[in-house]
Amino acid sequence: MTDDLKPARLRLAPSPTGEPHVGVLRTAIWSWLYAKRTGGQFLLRIEDTDQTRLVPGSVERIIRSLDWLGLTYDEGPDIGGPFAPYTQSERLPMYQEAAARLVQSGNAYPCFCSSEELDALRARQQAEKRATGYEGKCRVIAPAEAAARAAAEPHVIRFAVPREGATTVEDLLRGPVVVENRTLDDFVILKSDGFPTYHLAHVVDDTAMEITHVTRGDEWLPSAPRHALLFDALGYPRPIYVHNPVILAPGGGKLSKRHGAKSALEYAEDGYLADALVNFLCITGWGHGDETVMSREELTRVFDIKDISLAPATFDTEKLNWMNGVYLRQMPEQQLAELFAQRLEIDLPPDVPRPLDRSFVEEFTPLIRERVQLLTDVLPLVDFFYQSVVATPPVEEFLAKKWKDQPQATADALDAAADDLDALDDWDAETLEATLRATAERVGARAGDLFTLVRLAVTGKTITPPLFESMVIVGTGPSIDRVRAASAAVRASI
RNA sequence: GGCCCAUUCGUCUAGCGGCCCAGGACGCCACCCUCUCAAGGUGGAGAUCACCGGUUCGAAUCCGGUAUGGGUCACCA
């Protein structure tokens, strides 16, 4: 489909108070996709206007998260751009200038009320079951007097919200949202420390940076009218607003750190693929026909902000896991093997020498690629390949199912298998299978039942990659030794 | 409490007045394949489209109300 969409500029504007969780990541993905789709730009801006909540290292974590997800930005604090700086604490003069301009035009005024005073006011309003909010005590101070006091006294700047009328904000997803101005109070735009509040900073920066679409969580919807009023008072054109719903935790309720909300970097650690996470997050709260698995390229072709769903979506970990498996299976084998190797270098015990032999990993990659959903699934599937000694499992594990209460037959079967394997000249999967099938027939067991015993003996596990291919990798000597050890253990228990 | 927003299978969604007694995906169940586990294949259960009214020849789709859920009322974002 050919679209005539105008190049859009969108931004991710996190505050450096921790790591971005899936909610903001999904907004980032949507914004990024839309910017790409329209041939526009995506940028990163750090909103560090609250000096008290800064968490050291947050900015780096944010950047690393975006980098891992592949959400490249065209402008940002670390790479600069035509509207630098991209960190709000470095843009203070702009906010102060805007605030001063608003005071001058009568749209804002200094407020000298102390926080104790404001707390008391709020308490009174709550006690009387009235709406809380600043009632405009300092709004009536004459401008000349206010200016004089402002020069000497600590103060904030408040926006003078019109007492009459209503403000309509156009939201791209829900249409017009109308709010009566009298339900809005005179909110603070510049704090006493000279830093702007979010409200002012948003309006000033998104204008300065020529943002076309403001994408943010819908917790901002109630204050959108304030922003609209600010844009109007400053004489700035209003951007297109897109308030997207939150993501809910599986149990219901907002997804939070408590409810398993993870950061991008944690997903990486847990064995997820960036492409899968991007696809999954994009698809939760948004849909495109019957399609579910969509590559990044496909998404940038079809993603449209307008199709974002209004109802809050629940985070479905099962679906994410499934999708991760899909992406893993789709991957070229060579690339997959490298991923497995890197993961194993993290997960394998320290006594296994690094770097891992890539050709060895490539050998078993085809055996496990269909059995892996998360990268962390790899280790338990292949760890026995890296152990020179595999302890024989407890005898009870052998004497299960068909072999229950038959230690004699079990030991005999194991011995027969060992004998037959011993006699082999060739040690390839086909030969091994043919041999053991014959063994099974000879001892009067079903092939599958014998395989189960051999599997347990050779790998120490009940769930493994295909047995014969695994035995080829383990090698002749160790394989036979382990079968013999198992038979001895079973025999000893008689 | 005031204000604002939302409401289709358990979950994510398709649907934009007739093609829908509602389609796809995850999950679940069964069968097939099969050396375990997966993967794959086939089929199945699962939604009176929150409820009540209205508009219309005709509504999941438009309108109103109710209920439920969520958000927000800071010198936090």
Side-chain angles (χ1 to χ4, degrees):
Chain A
M1 140 172 134
T2 58
D3 40 74
D4 42 35
L5 298 169
K6 299 239 184 335
R9 285 175 60 82
L10 300 94
R11 100 272 112 122
L12 176 68
S15 54
T17 54
E19 265 179 71
H21 59 279
V22 287
V24 346
L25 293 177
R26 181 241 237 157
T27 305
I29 290 166
W30 284 341
S31 303
W32 183 87
L33 285 172
Y34 196 70
K36 294 296 154 199
R37 161 113 193 257
T38 62
Q41 290 81 232
F42 174 66
L43 45 142
L44 174 64
R45 182 177 72 223
I46 301 300
E47 310 225 321
D48 59 344
T49 56
D50 186 350
Q51 298 283 281
T52 65
R53 297 205 313 156
L54 302 182
V55 175
S58 294
V59 176
E60 290 67 33
R61 308 281 284 179
I62 289 166
I63 290 173
R64 277 177 50 204
S65 298
L66 294 179
D67 181 57
W68 180 70
L69 286 170
L71 303 180
T72 51
Y73 41 92
D74 303 289
E75 302 163 26
D78 54 331
I79 57 174
F83 303 101
Y86 292 87
T87 300
Q88 290 184 328
S89 60
E90 297 168 18
R91 303 170 62 81
L92 263 24
M94 297 184 218
Y95 313 122
Q96 288 161 357
E97 186 276 331
R101 205 145 59 76
L102 287 169
V103 170
Q104 208 150 42
S105 63
N107 286 301
Y109 59 90
C111 168
F112 307 96
C113 296
S114 67
S115 39
E116 294 73 38
E117 226 173 311
L118 296 172
D119 289 344
L121 170 66
R122 187 159 38 242
R124 213 177 319 130
Q125 290 168 328
Q126 279 166 349
E128 292 169 18
K129 298 213 159 191
R130 285 187 296 138
T132 56
Y134 186 66
E135 289 173 329
K137 182 181 169 197
C138 294
R139 181 166 171 165
V140 296
I141 299 174
E145 184 194 341
R149 285 181 65 182
E153 287 177 50
H155 63 280
V156 300
I157 303 293
R158 287 181 184 276
F159 184 77
V161 175
R163 293 279 161 77
E164 308 285 307
T167 300
T168 301
V169 179
E170 198 68 32
D171 180 89
L172 184 61
L173 303 179
R174 34 204 129 207
V177 175
V178 186
V179 173
E180 298 290 331
N181 290 336
R182 57 181 170 71
T183 67
L184 270 22
D185 72 346
D186 289 352
F187 56 96
V188 174
I189 57 175
L190 200 69
K191 304 184 234 180
S192 55
D193 63 1
F195 278 68
T197 58
Y198 170 88
H199 308 301
L200 215 216
H202 149 54
V203 172
V204 169
D205 285 343
D206 284 330
T207 298
M209 297 179 181
E210 298 179 2
I211 298 302
T212 58
H213 295 66
V214 172
T215 46
R216 49 161 52 158
D218 67 4
E219 69 268 21
W220 287 109
L221 195 52
S223 47
R226 301 178 212 273
H227 305 152
L229 255 12
L230 269 176
F231 275 104
D232 295 353
L234 251 6
Y236 297 152
R238 281 140 71 148
I240 296 169
Y241 279 107
V242 181
H243 292 95
N244 51 253
V246 296
I247 299 181
L248 266 23
K254 195 176 169 184
L255 191 62
S256 64
K257 293 267 155 42
R258 269 262 152 276
H259 277 104
K262 288 194 273 193
S263 66
L265 270 13
E266 285 174 304
Y267 278 102
E269 283 168 28
D270 290 348
Y272 289 89
L273 259 29
D275 282 340
L277 221 211
V278 167
N279 189 159
F280 170 76
L281 247 20
C282 183
I283 228 89
T284 112
W286 174 84
H288 184 257
D290 283 346
E291 287 179 87
T292 301
V293 179
M294 284 175 272
S295 69
R296 204 176 284 248
E297 294 65 40
E298 195 171 356
L299 287 173
T300 68
R301 231 173 32 242
V302 305
F303 178 76
D304 196 330
I305 289 179
K306 288 201 294 289
D307 298 327
I308 292 173
S309 152
L310 263 357
T314 304
F315 192 89
D316 187 351
T317 307
E318 304 250 36
K319 193 163 187 171
L320 203 213
N321 291 350
W322 163 79
M323 189 167 276
N324 205 65
V326 170
Y327 272 82
L328 239 27
R329 271 171 255 129
Q330 268 176 3
M331 196 170 283
E333 198 158 292
Q334 187 98 12
Q335 199 180 331
L336 225 208
E338 179 56 31
L339 229 41
F340 285 174
Q342 285 171 12
R343 186 71 213 187
L344 285 170
E345 284 173 347
I346 295 169
D347 293 345
L348 238 21
D351 57 292
V352 177
R354 274 42 168 205
L356 256 32
D357 178 0
R358 304 288 133 144
S359 64
F360 184 61
V361 175
E362 280 171 32
E363 213 179 319
F364 63 68
T365 292
L367 305 185
I368 64 168
R369 66 176 303 156
E370 251 134 51
R371 281 157 250 262
V372 176
Q373 205 162 49
L374 305 182
L375 259 10
T376 46
D377 294 338
V378 174
L379 179 69
L381 245 19
V382 303
D383 55 358
F384 67 90
F385 289 146
Y386 288 94
Q387 299 162 350
S388 49
V389 179
V390 169
T392 302
V395 172
E396 308 80 68
E397 291 196 34
F398 288 93
L399 304 179
K401 302 269 179 65
K402 287 287 165 51
W403 304 101
K404 195 166 174 16
D405 299 325
Q406 300 190 66
Q408 188 64 52
T410 303
D412 289 346
L414 250 6
D415 276 333
D419 291 343
D420 291 350
L421 292 173
D422 239 340
L424 290 177
D425 293 323
D426 295 323
W427 192 263
D428 57 79
E430 296 72 34
T431 307
L432 290 173
E433 177 166 4
T435 304
L436 289 181
R437 279 189 188 282
T439 308
E441 197 165 342
R442 186 152 55 77
V443 302
R446 289 203 351 208
D449 294 332
L450 207 224
F451 297 167
T452 297
L453 293 180
V454 176
R455 163 176 288 108
L456 234 195
V458 174
T459 69
K461 300 163 181 288
T462 53
I463 298 174
T464 71
L467 179 59
F468 311 111
E469 285 82 350
S470 298
M471 288 173 71
V472 170
I473 293 174
V474 169
T476 314
S479 295
I480 297 174
D481 290 349
R482 291 174 194 178
V483 175
R484 293 248 187 252
S487 93
V490 174
R491 222 173 273 292
S493 74
I494 296 174

